[in-house]
Amino acid sequence: MYDVIAIGSVTRDVFFDASGLSTVPWKKTQSGRGIVLPLGDKIEAKEIYFTIGGNSANASVTFSRQDFNTACVGRVGRDVAGSEILNRLKKEKVYAGMISSDNKLPTAYSVLLLKNGERTILSYHGSSNDFSLDDFKLGDLKAKWWYLSLAGSSYKMYGKLLSYASREKIAVAFNPSGYHLKMDKKGILSSLKHISFLVLNEEEAAILTGIPFSNERAVFKKLDALMPGVLAVTNGSEGVTVSDGHFVYRASTFKEKKLADRTGAGDAFGSGFVAGLMKDGINLSNISRISEKEVKEAIIYASANATSVVEHVGATEGILTARELKQPRWENLKIKVEKL
Ligand SMILES: Nc1ncnc2c1ncn2[C@@H]1O[C@H](COP(=O)(O)OP(=O)(O)OP(=O)(O)O)[C@@H](O)[C@H]1O
Ligand SMILES: [Mg+2]
């Protein structure tokens, strides 16, 4: 049996150094700026980095580097990008034998333009998009934990996956994709009773609850009432707020030495948190009795992993090994605890 199985998307990620490109103000965008690319011209990139991404690949690399027996489940195409993903996962000692190959669509592929630690992503979802229950045997997915994030139409298997997990006493960590949130908010809300760890960023928490995050108390109250497990709401470099149903924990972040690329911070945080829980022997049967010390430890694992990831280009490059996590750098994080 695996300690943990990550189920979701796997992608080929290619980063181009776009530091030479200009930006212009663009109010509608999240950053308020846009990258300018002259139509019809050729632009030379000084550097290029080939790596892998997708939440399932990213999370499984965290678990394996923390020495857990890990499998990754997803779908690739029958192409070079797909074989590269499988090879990289095998090198990471992640079991990739349950990743299916699609003979119709190419592997999900992202081109990321990097400028000043920020990035613009051109993404093609390909074979990851309609990854479904036909791609694997549910009976092969026995584990202590699952890490679940279902992109594109693969969200349709969510209900069946959760029924299996609760029958088999598998603790489920869940990070809903944007599309899943858009398509089935109601289904997600009513499923939270089966979720042991839910991780959302502030925007996702507001979408799921229908409550603006400025009313943080109401957001937590609504979600806490629906789930027995732990909830983390992240806010980029500002840090995170976590609730275990009894206490609220507010943590800042470990300061990064240099922001190289923030791709994968969310996945590094979510999977790092679950790795912290697993290290303390937390599972489905004891998650509702988690101690303050155990929650704090999970927050430290998660934050250290996320900071290390943003210091490297790519979503998996900076993921910490068990040895790296022991460095004194990751010892002290400011965490305030309040009664709910
Ligand atoms: N620049 C940073 N420096 C340090 N820590 C960071 C930084 N960015 C993110 N983190 C850590 O990672 C956590 C998750 O980041 P964030 O809120 O950006 O997730 P996200 O929106 O899900 O990101 P993603 O785009 O990867 O899905 C934060 O709560 C924080 O602890
Ligand atoms: Mg995210």
Side-chain angles (χ1 to χ4, degrees):
M1 187 168 62
Y2 295 98
D3 292 317
V4 55
I5 302 179
I7 306 167
S9 63
V10 286
T11 67
R12 179 63 159 155
D13 286 358
V14 184
F15 287 79
F16 282 79
D17 172 5
S19 57
L21 296 176
S22 321
T23 63
V24 287
W26 188 354
K27 276 203 184 118
K28 267 198 233 159
T29 64
Q30 223 177 49
S31 63
R33 301 197 70 78
I35 289 181
V36 185
L37 290 165
L39 186 64
D41 278 5
K42 202 186 224 174
I43 295 156
E44 190 156 321
K46 288 208 182 63
E47 278 187 273
I48 185 167
Y49 313 84
F50 288 90
T51 181
I52 61 169
N55 47 64
S56 177
N58 299 342
S60 57
V61 170
T62 294
F63 300 133
S64 185
R65 289 196 187 173
Q66 290 300 320
D67 301 330
F68 291 107
N69 186 8
T70 308
C72 176
V73 177
R75 177 154 72 173
V76 294
R78 289 182 203 273
D79 48 27
V80 179
S83 337
E84 217 13 69
I85 293 172
L86 301 180
N87 288 338
R88 290 287 280 267
L89 289 173
K90 280 176 209 160
K91 260 193 217 150
E92 292 287 345
K93 301 195 181 68
V94 170
Y95 179 65
M98 289 190 283
I99 295 182
S100 71
S101 294
D102 181 351
N103 47 26
K104 288 199 274 333
L105 293 171
T107 299
Y109 202 107
S110 294
V111 172
L112 300 96
L113 306 177
L114 257 188
K115 185 163 172 84
N116 306 336
E118 198 37 275
R119 82 289 197 239
T120 296
I121 308 181
L122 305 173
S123 66
Y124 169 70
H125 294 178
S127 57
S128 254
N129 215 30
D130 53 357
F131 165 49
S132 74
L133 289 170
D134 298 335
D135 288 295
F136 53 87
K137 279 200 239 113
L138 259 181
D140 290 341
L141 301 194
K142 294 207 167 67
K144 292 178 197 152
W145 276 87
W146 279 359
Y147 192 91
L148 206 60
S149 186
L150 304 169
S153 60
S154 72
Y155 82 88
K156 290 179 188 156
M157 62 177 152
Y158 182 63
K160 291 212 169 105
L161 284 174
L162 282 195
S163 311
Y164 178 81
S166 69
R167 225 175 27 244
E168 296 295 327
K169 312 254 181 304
I170 299 165
V172 179
F174 181 47
N175 175 221
S177 67
Y179 191 66
H180 194 172
L181 274 172
K182 186 170 150 200
M183 299 305 288
D184 193 20
K185 249 177 9 188
K186 261 199 186 153
I188 294 177
L189 286 170
S190 66
S191 75
L192 295 180
K193 53 183 176 291
H194 298 301
I195 300 300
S196 293
F197 174 61
L198 175 67
V199 58
L200 304 163
N201 62 30
E202 285 193 355
E203 197 188 352
E204 292 158 351
I207 293 171
L208 181 60
T209 56
I211 303 169
F213 202 78
S214 49
N215 192 353
E216 187 200 70
R217 198 163 273 276
V219 170
F220 273 89
K221 200 170 163 203
K222 176 158 182 177
L223 294 176
D224 273 328
L226 295 172
M227 60 183 296
V230 176
L231 165 67
V233 181
T234 65
N235 184 19
S237 55
E238 295 292 308
V240 67
T241 310
V242 174
S243 162
D244 61 9
H246 307 285
F247 295 98
V248 178
Y249 305 74
R250 286 175 214 286
S252 56
T253 58
F254 289 106
K255 184 86 196 89
E256 71 270 9
K257 287 180 183 155
K258 181 179 174 285
L259 178 65
D261 159 40
R262 68 180 182 83
T263 311
D267 292 340
F269 185 93
S271 58
F273 201 103
V274 174
L277 297 177
M278 293 197 297
K279 275 264 153 80
D280 279 332
I282 304 292
N283 53 38
L284 189 64
S285 67
N286 57 17
I287 183 95
S288 57
R289 298 188 305 275
I290 192 166
S291 71
E292 181 179 323
K293 182 168 167 280
E294 288 162 341
V295 175
K296 283 183 169 168
E297 214 159 83
I299 294 175
I300 288 177
Y301 265 61
S303 303
N305 207 32
T307 293
S308 180
V309 161
V310 305
E311 287 174 346
H312 296 77
V313 174
T316 53
E317 264 53 25
I319 287 173
L320 295 170
T321 60
R323 195 149 131 237
E324 286 164 344
L325 195 57
K326 289 195 183 114
Q327 289 164 359
R329 181 180 173 199
W330 310 121
E331 272 166 18
N332 292 311
L333 184 68
K334 234 193 266 161
I335 306 177
K336 273 201 277 182
V337 188
E338 285 165 31
K339 188 98 186 79
L340 246 183

